Every structure is written in structure tokens, then in C-alpha cells.
Amino acid sequence: MPVPAAAETCDVVIVGAGPVGLTLANILGAQGVRTVILEERDALIDYPRGVGLDDESMRAFQSIGLIDAVLPHTVPNQILRFTDSNRKLLVEMAPPDARFGWPKRNGFVQPLVDAELCRGLDRFDQVGVRWGTRMSAATQDADGVTVTLEDGSVLRAAYLVGCDGGRSTTRHLMDVSFEGTTSATRWLVIDIANDPLGHPNSEVGADPDRPYASISIAHGIRRFEFMIHADETDEQASDPAFVAELLSTFVPYPDRADIIRHRLYTHHSRIAGSFRTGRLLLAGDAAHLMPVWQGQGYNSGIRDAFNLGWKLAAVVNGRAGDRLLDSYDVERRKHARAMIDLSTMVGRVISPTNRTVARLRDGLIRAAAILPALRRYVLEMRFKPMPRYDQGAVVHNSNPPAPDSAVGTLFIQPTVDTRTATGVRLDDILGSGFAVLCWNNNPRSILGPQEFARWNAAGAVFIELRPNTQLRWNADDAVTDDDVIIVGDRTGAVKAFFDSRAESVLFLRPDRCIAAACIAQLAPELSARLANTLALVDGAEGGDSNAAPTRPVRHVAQPAAEPAGPVG
């Protein structure tokens, strides 16, 4: 298909300016990728939807340099309590672990965090948002994607990513399935400003009369969610008197509640048949939908962006071949499916409206809680599936991978010291690219000149990890190596990690996943195998896309939103 001569060129078109599209655009912008976001709305959605951020999303926001802007809109270490029909505790989730550098549970105000993600794009001249713009068609060929807009104008890009929600136009254009189920049960969500309760934590009530949730977000916002029974109509559920009656169980004066909005919704458990068709890709709700009970819809979308962003940038910039993008579906599908299944299962546990079934459930939960190991399993959220890639952009040392292998998992983020700074989060030293970490060895010496040069060209950061006692020690004949950063194990967490396994050399991807690991002597061979798996281009220090820019893509400032109510 011939490309119109008037087509504007860019590297990547993102459809949808929600949190996934905005996060992806920040990742691409930081790597110099010319990116256009198409958003059919005139402004960001200004009411809360997601209410919880996990440690992985916080780490992603840290990576794109926006964590300090996001933090003021969060409630760290948010406790979640599940209660029975008498509001007596069944189980509590209060995970103390922060191995990835951030609390596992954080309440947040989504409109304000999304606004920070949008403002982050102002840093990049080559990234633009087009508000009030709808895509009507997208046609791909061997060299790129031609995107036709509703007004008839045309964009030409190397890739298109649909971050356009559950009713994704991109997914329909890709002609892929959206397999799964939609629950017949409706829920009424009510967001209230000037929190009438005021306490910082959250409660899910497994009450057979009417299951509910009461969630503290941030900035004085509280969310209530109530199951709507089959004999209650949509019109009834939207009536202010009905809303006030529901709130009256929890709020002394429901008529005084400062309601931001209320609306009905149903839960979906669906996943796209493919996350990639050639040059068209899906992320976030366009790729998968899940019930709200584990707060993982928003977080799963951020995982998609964090996984896909560095790969897309590497391909567009000429550092890696197109086949690297095949690993996106391979890696994200299994974990997204696991999150859907967990969220669906939790919904089934808390939602029975039969009192006999509810009593049996309560008894089983309380009996299990007697066992310390099971109580810790729930309290510390050990049941939450963690990303673990057996296939994809990783190299395992055995097939099948050893059950205790760290390859394909996220590396920890402890607080460390360098020779110029103390008490630094590790990722702030690693930056946003590849990293090679060696315990007790210099990466240059271990890799050898050829492999060191390969990773240096790929923009990798080289880290020599040491006990803090050795941080400032130098051998008598040592020559200062400006390409290697000496990092001291301030808390002992790094040594504890290596104490539990044989490998001492780690290759980290930009998303902080361990791509490969080995003992020191095997590092050169493993390095070469990993470079092949990642489809790295030898000697590439970047590169141009097929369509070179004639000018930077101008960032279009977001119009002011008309709020539906106060959000803090």
C-alpha cells in the first residue's frame, strides 16, 4: 500500500493517554524515540478509578524519573482487612517486605498520578499528545504502519501500540480475540471527598447480605463499593436515596457526604488472543481485564509498559532486531493470566450471598489462620504471583529452568552506598538501561575486552558490588576505572542475595529483570549467548528508525479538565 506523501512520520504511535500509554511514552521519550499519543478525549479522566499501586509500579515510576512527583499522591504501607458479616477480622494484608525498594501496597489518587505522568512528557521535545483525536484505521506493511485519523490526516510510524482500554479499537483492527468472561454481578462504586471516616486503611466486607469495600485513597478521598443484587435495577442503584441508604451503614450523616461520583460496573476476566500482530501491539486493558479485588488492573498495565518500553526503544533505535518484540507476549501473557485468575478467585471468595456458604468460608479462613505459616503467607501477600520468565528475553542455564533460579525474576533494590553518595536506592545508580553486576569482581576483568565493549556500546552500567567495609579499598596497583561503579552493600541485602545461590555475575535488563546469571569464569560465554537472545546489534550505540525525522514532534499541552468533583 503506497504511503501518502503528506503523511507525518514518527517512530511509535500510542493509542490512548491513560496511565499505560503515558508510562510507555515516558520510557520511549527518555530513549529519544519520536512518539505520538492519540487520545479521543479532550483531557485526562479526572475521577479516581484505580486505587492501589504496588511496589513494581512504584519502581517503574522511579525508573522514568517521576517517583518524587508521584509520592505526594500516595498512602504507603496501606493495610487491607477482610471482615465477616459482623465486621470481625477474617484476614489482614500488611506486607512488611520492601525488597524492590518500595512498599507492596500503596493507596493513590489516580487522576493526580496520571497528571504527573502526563506532565513528565514535557521533558521530551520528540513526544506529543493529540487530544480529541480518534484513530479510524491502521494498516501495516513490511516497513511500518500507516495510521489514518478520523479527520482524514495520516501518520506513518514504525510501530503502533494500543493502550486504548477494554473496548480497544486497536485490538479490533488486529482482529484478535478477547477471551474470557464477564460477571453478571453489578457493583456500585462511590467516591467521596473529605473522607467521612478519615482512617488510613481499607476494608473488604465479605457480608452475604451485601458484600462491600471501603478504601482510603489519599488527599481525603474514600471509595465505597457495594454489590447490587439481581432484583435491584440500574435506575434504583443510581438514585441518590439508594446511595445514601447504602452509605448509612458506615457514615453517620450520608446526606452530608461530598460525593465525587458514583457509577455501576461489572467485573471482566479477559485476555487478548495475542499481544502482538506484526507492528501492532496491545498493552494494559486493551490486552487484559481483571476484577478489582487484588488492585492489579492498573499495575498489570504498568508492567506491560515497563516490559515493552525498553524493547521497543532498542528496536527503533537500531540496538536490537525486531524479533526481540516477540518476547513481550511470551513474558507478559502468563503473568497477566495468573493475575486474572487470582483476582477472579478472590472475588468468588468474598462474594457469596448464601449465609451457609459464607459461614463455611469464614470457618475455613479462621482455621487456616491458626497456622503461623499460612497466616504469614496471607499477611505478607506471598500468594501474589510474581513475574518469572521461563522463556523470552532471558537465558537460563538449564532446560527446564531450575526452580530456584533467579533468572527471569526481578532483582532486589536495596539501599546502597557509593564512593560519592550514601543511602542511595540501587536503581538510581543503575539508571534506565542494561546493567552488569559482579559480586566481589570487576566486570571489565570478568567479561573480557570484547564482551565489555559490547555492553558498553549498548549503554550498560557496570557495577562492582562489595561489602561496605571494602567500599573505599584499592589494590596497590589498581588503576581507576571510570566505567565501573563501586557499590557498597550498606544493609547486607546484596550479600544475602548472593549467599543463597552460586551465581555471582548478573545481567540486568532495563526493567530490572535478571536476564542471565552465572559464575565469574562463564561470564564471557553467557554474555555472547544473551546478546544473541536479545537480538542485540553488534557495535550499535543507537540508531535511526526507517523514517528519519524532519522535525521533532511537538508536545501538545493538555487542555484543562472540567472536574466532576474534588479529587484532593
Side-chain angles (χ1 to χ4, degrees):
M1 174 181 175
V3 179
E8 182 180 348
T9 62
C10 61
D11 298 317
V12 177
V13 168
I14 296 172
V15 184
V20 180
L22 294 171
T23 299
L24 180 60
N26 274 281
I27 295 170
L28 297 176
Q31 296 300 316
V33 176
R34 296 171 304 134
T35 305
V36 173
I37 304 178
L38 306 177
E39 173 52 56
E40 63 182 44
R41 295 176 181 270
D42 293 327
L44 293 175
I45 294 175
D46 69 328
Y47 51 78
R49 288 161 292 149
V51 294
L53 290 173
D54 66 14
D55 47 353
E56 296 171 66
S57 291
M58 298 292 281
R59 194 175 191 181
F61 295 153
Q62 177 190 358
S63 175
I64 60 178
L66 295 178
I67 190 64
D68 289 338
V70 166
L71 281 174
H73 309 306
T74 67
V75 180
N77 294 303
Q78 188 177 60
I79 296 173
L80 179 62
R81 298 182 175 95
F82 288 81
T83 60
D84 64 13
S85 59
N86 296 313
R87 300 190 71 179
K88 292 183 178 179
L89 184 66
L90 285 172
V91 68
E92 180 178 274
M93 296 179 193
D97 177 24
R99 72 185 66 185
F100 299 136
W102 302 98
K104 283 189 174 182
R105 289 187 51 82
N106 305 270
F108 82 119
V109 182
Q110 181 177 344
L112 298 181
V113 170
D114 289 356
E116 298 297 349
L117 297 176
C118 190
R119 273 191 283 272
L121 301 180
D122 291 336
R123 300 173 293 176
F124 313 118
D125 289 338
Q126 71 276 17
V127 178
V129 183
R130 299 191 180 180
W131 303 99
T133 303
R134 184 189 296 267
M135 174 181 69
S136 60
T139 305
Q140 61 176 311
D141 53 46
D143 299 317
V145 183
T146 301
V147 182
T148 304
L149 308 183
E150 200 169 52
D151 65 2
S153 59
V154 177
L155 289 171
R156 180 69 175 172
Y159 294 93
L160 182 147
V161 185
C163 305
D164 45 348
R167 296 184 176 88
S168 170
T169 298
T170 308
R171 191 179 63 245
H172 289 296
L173 291 173
M174 290 169 62
D175 194 26
V176 299
S177 61
F178 204 34
E179 301 154 359
T181 60
T182 295
S183 172
T185 303
R186 296 158 299 150
W187 289 77
L188 179 67
V189 59
I190 308 166
D191 289 325
I192 303 176
N194 301 309
D195 185 353
L197 303 184
H199 57 70
N201 298 313
S202 302
E203 173 187 353
V204 173
D207 185 347
D209 288 343
R210 191 185 298 274
Y212 66 88
S214 170
I215 303 169
S216 170
I217 303 179
H219 302 322
I221 299 175
R222 179 163 295 272
R223 168 168 294 181
F224 286 99
E225 300 185 24
F226 299 96
M227 178 189 282
I228 301 303
H229 296 306
D231 61 351
E232 295 168 333
T233 66
D234 289 359
E235 292 75 18
Q236 180 181 357
S238 299
D239 184 85
F242 184 84
V243 172
E245 182 181 351
L246 293 179
L247 292 175
S248 64
T249 304
F250 305 90
V251 178
Y253 306 105
D255 56 315
R256 302 181 190 173
D258 189 357
I259 295 177
I260 300 171
R261 60 122 193 198
H262 57 81
R263 71 180 180 94
L264 285 167
Y265 68 93
T266 55
H267 293 158
H268 304 276
S269 301
R270 295 185 177 274
I271 192 165
S274 174
F275 294 177
R276 183 190 185 196
T277 300
R279 293 179 176 272
L280 306 182
L281 301 103
L282 298 172
D285 286 354
H288 41 71
L289 290 171
M290 63 196 67
V292 302
W293 301 115
Q294 287 299 298
Q296 285 299 313
Y298 188 105
N299 295 293
S300 290
I302 301 303
R303 286 189 198 94
D304 290 347
F306 206 26
N307 184 291
L308 177 60
W310 70 269
K311 297 173 183 177
L312 204 52
V315 174
V316 167
N317 287 331
R319 294 186 179 184
D322 174 85
R323 65 182 172 86
L324 175 61
L325 297 177
D326 290 336
S327 67
Y328 169 59
D329 189 306
V330 170
E331 293 178 351
R332 285 297 303 133
R333 173 172 300 277
K334 180 180 178 182
H335 188 260
R337 178 78 261 178
M339 281 300 186
I340 292 170
D341 292 345
L342 174 63
S343 300
T344 303
M345 182 272 291
V346 171
R348 289 171 179 164
V349 169
I350 70 170
S351 297
T353 54
N354 182 293
R355 283 197 164 273
T356 301
V357 173
R359 279 196 299 270
L360 289 172
R361 173 206 59 206
D362 296 352
L364 286 172
I365 292 175
R366 287 195 168 98
I370 295 173
L371 302 174
L374 281 176
R375 188 166 61 249
R376 286 196 304 274
Y377 183 76
V378 175
L379 178 71
E380 299 174 9
M381 290 179 60
R382 297 183 186 181
F383 56 83
K384 176 189 170 187
M386 294 303 299
R388 179 185 172 86
Y389 308 139
D390 293 335
Q391 297 176 308
V394 293
V395 175
H396 286 276
N397 297 323
S398 62
N399 188 15
D404 60 347
S405 172
V407 175
T409 66
L410 297 177
F411 189 53
I412 59 175
Q413 187 186 192
T415 300
V416 297
D417 292 343
T418 70
R419 289 180 171 178
T420 58
T422 59
V424 183
R425 286 188 175 92
L426 179 61
D427 288 5
D428 290 339
I429 300 169
L430 300 182
S432 58
F434 290 104
V436 181
L437 281 62
C438 293
W439 175 261
N440 207 36
N441 275 313
N442 184 309
R444 185 189 296 276
S445 302
I446 296 303
L447 287 170
Q450 180 176 337
E451 294 306 314
F452 188 92
R454 183 203 300 273
W455 290 104
N456 201 28
V461 171
F462 300 94
I463 303 291
E464 179 180 342
L465 298 162
R466 297 179 177 181
N468 236 30
T469 53
Q470 300 176 25
L471 177 61
R472 302 190 182 281
W473 177 83
N474 288 310
D476 293 339
D477 58 349
V479 177
T480 300
D481 191 337
D482 293 333
D483 292 325
V484 176
I485 302 172
I486 309 297
V487 172
D489 182 17
R490 179 184 181 91
T491 66
V494 177
K495 180 175 180 293
F497 176 90
F498 286 105
D499 273 339
S500 62
R501 46 190 47 86
E503 297 86 356
S504 64
V505 180
L506 304 179
F507 296 84
L508 299 190
R509 307 183 334 186
D511 59 359
R512 306 286 69 103
C513 171
I514 301 172
C518 64
I519 62 171
Q521 271 198 341
L522 296 179
E525 297 97 308
L526 182 62
S527 171
R529 288 174 58 203
L530 178 59
N532 180 65
T533 297
L534 297 176
L536 294 186
V537 177
D538 285 342
E541 297 184 4
D544 297 324
S545 63
N546 293 332
T550 57
R551 62 188 184 278
V553 177
R554 183 172 60 88
H555 177 74
V556 181
Q558 179 195 321
E562 295 183 3
V567 293

